[in-house]
Amino acid sequence: MSLPPYESLPSYVVRVAEDAADREACFAVRKEVFVVEQGVPQDIEYDAYDADAVHVLAVRGDGVPLGTGRLLYGEAAAAKTGGDPAVGSLGRLAVAKDARGLGVGAALVRAIEDAARERGLSAVDLHAQTHALGFYERLGYVAYGAEFPDAGIPHRAMRRVL
């Protein structure tokens, strides 16, 4: 199955978060999904990487935020990607409960990959919750390494060469 480019999907748009209001919308979705739904402690959900990360935001036509994700690159990504400066780190991918199944997650991943390409990166790594491995595999990511806990949730590292 081939997904259309994220820019052409109906009913919402995906874009880089440009200002404080966009970032607040990103953080609100993350709080809803990770803190409220999954029980991740709020003090570990938000971190120092948020300040310099590229955040992407999916927004419904009426302005309601549907999903978000972020890209770390350069030094910020090194600890998560094995130190390779050509590899970015996709993280904090979250889609509001009511927006799941609409292609928002895939559109966010593709937007993050586009942001990685724009920065000259050759691959993107991520730490996937194990229940989401199939989602990322369908988008071309390959799992590597052993399962590990993050915020008490089982994860696996994955990579996609761009």
Side-chain angles (χ1 to χ4, degrees):
M1 173 176 103
S2 177
L3 294 171
Y6 64 87
E7 297 94 343
S8 68
L9 292 171
S11 72
Y12 63 90
V13 295
V14 176
R15 57 183 166 78
V16 171
E18 307 240 346
D19 57 27
D22 284 351
R23 286 198 180 215
E24 287 306 313
C26 292
F27 297 156
V29 173
R30 284 169 48 183
K31 182 175 184 177
E32 175 188 334
V33 173
F34 296 126
V35 177
V36 175
E37 280 184 42
Q38 296 183 356
V40 173
Q42 189 163 323
D43 62 328
I44 66 171
E45 171 52 30
Y46 308 100
D47 59 29
Y49 296 119
D50 280 326
D52 296 319
V54 176
H55 296 269
V56 295
L57 177 64
V59 183
R60 204 168 63 191
D62 61 1
V64 173
L66 301 177
T68 188
R70 75 178 185 188
L71 172 70
L72 303 180
Y73 59 97
E75 249 183 71
K80 298 175 180 287
T81 63
D84 186 340
V87 180
S89 177
L90 183 159
R92 302 304 201 266
L93 188 75
V95 176
K97 196 174 215 172
D98 292 343
R100 294 179 192 152
L102 302 176
V104 173
L108 288 163
V109 170
R110 296 304 187 220
I112 290 167
E113 292 169 352
D114 287 348
R117 282 186 199 92
E118 288 170 10
R119 285 155 182 79
L121 303 178
S122 61
V124 173
D125 272 16
L126 58 86
H127 294 163
Q129 294 181 8
T130 54
H131 72 84
L133 287 171
F135 166 77
Y136 289 110
E137 287 169 344
R138 286 188 296 278
L139 294 174
Y141 287 79
V142 177
Y144 66 90
E147 185 177 293
F148 60 93
D150 187 359
I153 301 168
H155 284 69
R156 290 275 313 275
M158 302 185 85
R159 177 172 289 184
R160 178 170 187 256
V161 175
L162 299 176

